[in-house]
Amino acid sequence: MRRMIGGVVGLVTVAVAVGAWSLQGRAADGTLTPADHVEIRDLYNRYNHYIDNVKDNGYAYAGLFTEDGVFETNIAVGTRTGREAL
């Protein structure tokens, strides 16, 4: 069960990082800049800290997503849409 949850968390983390990356400016050749790497690492760290510690009753975690953010999983949680549902 832990492995499954870890996989889901990993996939969501990648999705959040890709979303953040797509909103940031890229280098002229399309590669990530050092600032991009720092921001992705920061987002990844905040995601893990907030979800592990239920910081601010879950609102800190939900705040990492856009207003219409979607969290999908194949386990009992199902699909959640929007910050309030997250």
Side-chain angles (χ1 to χ4, degrees), residues 2-85:
R2 283 182 179 222
R3 180 173 274 178
M4 181 184 297
I5 291 172
V8 170
V9 169
L11 289 174
V12 170
T13 302
V14 169
V16 170
V18 168
W21 169 71
S22 67
L23 296 174
Q24 301 299 318
R26 294 183 213 140
D29 62 356
T31 60
L32 294 174
T33 65
D36 294 331
H37 287 281
V38 170
E39 288 184 38
I40 291 168
R41 186 174 301 128
D42 180 57
L43 178 63
Y44 177 77
N45 289 336
R46 286 186 291 137
Y47 174 89
N48 286 307
H49 177 73
Y50 295 165
I51 201 165
D52 286 347
N53 296 295
V54 193
K55 189 162 179 81
D56 196 24
N57 290 325
Y59 287 100
Y61 160 77
L64 296 174
F65 293 84
T66 61
E67 289 291 332
D68 60 347
V70 176
F71 180 87
E72 293 182 4
T73 179
N74 60 354
I75 57 175
V77 175
T79 300
R80 301 285 188 251
T81 304
R83 288 184 180 163
E84 197 59 39

